[in-house]
Amino acid sequence: MVFLLQIATLLMLAFLLGRLAKRLGMPVIVGELCAGVLLGPSILQQIAPGVSDWLLPRDAGQFHLLDAVGQVGVLLLVALTGAHMDLSLVRRRGSAAVRISVAGIAVPLALGVGLGLLLPGSLLPGTADRGTFALFMGVAMGVSAIPVIAKTLMDLRLLHRNIGQLILCAVVVDDIIGWMLLSVVAAMATSGVHAGDIALSIGRLAVVLAATALLRPVVAVLLRAAARAEGGGPTVAVVVLLALLASAATHALGLEAVFGAFMAGIVISRSGALDRVALAPLQTFVAAVLAPVYFATAGLRMDLTALADPVVLLTGLGVLAIAILGKFAGAYAGARLSRLSHWEGLALGAGMNARGVIEVIIAMVGLRLGVLGPEMFTIIILVAIVTSLMAPPILRFAMSKVEHTAEERLRGQTFGLAGDAPRPLQE
């Protein structure tokens, strides 16, 4: 009964606060995270500890039930994200996208590692190795969030612009690199920091990448067979099955399960046999039910009262500054090396700066692995929220200084996005 009430309460609050955030022009994920914050140690535990202890008892077994639902939700969310990646876009944009993406992840990654080496030891969990923690911070600083960025570009009517296309290309490459690095960090966190173990993790990573190429024809056969069946149920079942099996496989190899789900999504997309119309019910259920519960569960682990500690507050401000400056500097440098203008470089930095969903997932992985403590977890979630809120206004302003070319107008008509005036941000 308690478990069912937990799910119902989290989903209800996540839905209501998500709609409120949307009406206020903020990303929906902000409202969904706030649902957990309201029910967690930051608010409900402070004002009604008896109610909090009854609804969210501090029993590990009880809380693992919530985690299990959230874990299935995030695996499917990441798989669907991978299924919507257009890798051909990266190939078409060529060297400019590669330069921007490499600089866009290398600079914040280096700054994040340096930050991880310098942070006070009191903010590290007792089980965390300093080197693993530093590399994890680098990954957390380097990633971007494809779902948030794509939706932002659509709502601002910038998807058809050259900069919009470049942002998507660069973020695709960034996130692939980020997931790979996260898998290596996860292996280091579980087996320790040893050169042989790191080499073994990289070898396992190579096995996964080779398997994705070899299994693509098999995936295509399965999806075509499912598409021939009546209704969209078989396609949904095959996609879910592939995502879960791939997650289990990478987890068995000592890599992170979400990496397997992500690679499964890419293979499904590249198979050329996916019926996207049949997949729509799964996307709706994941976006409307499973993902909000997952993000609300993440919010439950945020303890904003920790920010009352001056050390934690100053650390949070420092991490936020490095996250923002590192991503902006890297993307801007890559843009200038690609001979783009000053304003185009700022637009790229603003777009790639949004962490959103992916940062939350990475923070949850770090907490589960014991790499992050509650204070650093709260700080990284705040980075996800603040950077996602910053992206739209800066992107809108920078793009107002960039000429709208005839080629872009023609592409906009093809996409049904003709017109210069951006729409209000919805999600």
Side-chain angles (χ1 to χ4, degrees):
M1 181 192 71
V2 172
F3 166 68
L4 295 175
L5 288 175
Q6 287 173 338
I7 294 290
T9 305
L10 286 172
L11 183 58
M12 177 185 67
L13 275 179
F15 174 78
L16 293 175
L17 294 179
R19 296 307 96 188
L20 177 61
K22 182 176 179 178
R23 290 181 66 87
L24 295 175
M26 296 186 291
V28 170
I29 186 178
V30 174
E32 293 168 349
L33 286 167
C34 286
V37 173
L38 285 176
L39 296 176
S42 301
I43 297 180
L44 185 62
Q45 182 65 40
Q46 301 296 321
I47 62 176
V51 175
S52 176
D53 291 340
W54 180 83
L55 182 62
L56 297 163
R58 299 182 183 183
D59 176 67
Q62 185 73 46
F63 208 84
H64 287 337
L65 292 174
L66 273 180
D67 279 340
V69 174
Q71 190 67 18
V72 172
V74 75
L75 291 176
L76 294 179
L77 177 65
V78 171
L80 290 172
T81 300
H84 284 82
M85 284 192 168
D86 184 4
L87 296 183
S88 63
L89 189 65
V90 178
R91 291 193 294 269
R92 289 198 302 270
R93 300 306 298 182
S95 58
V98 172
R99 280 193 294 269
I100 293 166
S101 62
V102 170
I105 196 170
V107 174
L109 177 67
L111 291 175
V113 169
L115 177 69
L117 293 173
L118 295 174
L119 284 176
S122 60
L123 295 178
L124 274 69
T127 56
D129 173 83
R130 172 70 75 167
T132 305
F133 173 77
L135 185 54
F136 181 89
M137 289 299 297
V139 174
M141 296 298 99
V143 297
S144 301
I146 290 174
V148 173
I149 293 168
K151 191 65 171 67
T152 299
L153 292 172
M154 289 171 61
D155 286 333
L156 295 179
R157 292 193 176 187
L158 296 174
L159 193 59
H160 65 292
R161 303 291 297 272
N162 291 335
I163 292 300
Q165 299 279 300
L166 273 175
I167 289 173
L168 283 181
C169 290
V171 170
V172 167
V173 177
D174 271 11
D175 278 8
I176 290 174
I177 296 172
W179 287 121
M180 291 179 179
L181 289 174
L182 181 63
S183 289
V184 174
V185 173
M188 291 169 61
T190 54
S191 63
V193 185
H194 306 289
D197 292 328
I198 295 174
L200 184 60
S201 298
I202 294 173
R204 290 168 176 169
L205 201 57
V207 170
V208 173
L209 295 177
T212 58
L214 295 174
L215 292 176
R216 189 169 64 177
V218 178
V219 171
V221 170
L222 291 174
L223 289 172
R224 289 193 182 98
R228 287 194 295 269
E230 184 177 351
T235 297
V236 170
V238 168
V239 169
V240 172
L241 179 64
L242 291 171
L244 295 180
L245 287 177
S247 302
T250 53
H251 186 73
L253 287 172
L255 303 174
E256 189 54 41
V258 287
F259 179 63
F262 182 73
M263 296 307 297
I266 289 180
V267 174
I268 289 169
S269 176
R270 296 189 65 198
S271 69
L274 177 62
D275 182 354
R276 297 187 182 276
V277 175
L279 201 60
L282 176 63
Q283 294 172 327
T284 300
F285 182 70
V286 171
V289 178
L290 294 181
V293 170
Y294 175 78
F295 294 128
T297 305
L300 285 175
R301 291 178 162 89
M302 289 183 67
D303 186 2
L304 297 181
T305 61
L307 297 177
D309 184 339
V311 174
V312 177
L313 180 60
L314 289 175
T315 300
L317 293 175
V319 170
L320 181 60
I322 286 177
I324 294 170
L325 294 175
K327 202 67 176 180
F328 262 98
Y332 184 82
R336 299 298 280 171
L337 288 172
S338 301
R339 298 183 180 179
L340 299 179
S341 71
H342 166 72
W343 293 111
E344 288 173 322
L346 287 181
L348 277 162
M352 295 177 67
N353 188 44
R355 266 61 168 216
V357 175
I358 305 301
E359 187 85 318
V360 175
I361 294 172
I362 286 178
M364 289 286 279
V365 170
L367 191 66
R368 180 172 55 80
L369 291 172
V371 178
L372 294 182
E375 297 88 357
M376 286 306 302
F377 174 81
T378 298
I379 288 170
I380 291 181
I381 295 294
L382 288 176
V383 169
I385 293 174
V386 173
T387 55
S388 297
L389 291 174
M390 286 177 58
I394 299 176
L395 191 56
R396 186 196 302 265
F397 174 75
M399 287 305 295
S400 69
K401 308 291 185 180
V402 178
E403 180 185 359
H404 201 163
T405 66
E407 177 192 4
E408 291 173 333
R409 293 180 189 278
L410 180 60
R411 190 187 299 137
Q413 291 172 356
T414 303
F415 287 3
L417 294 170
D420 292 321
R423 295 175 293 177
L425 186 68
Q426 294 298 315
E427 192 168 337

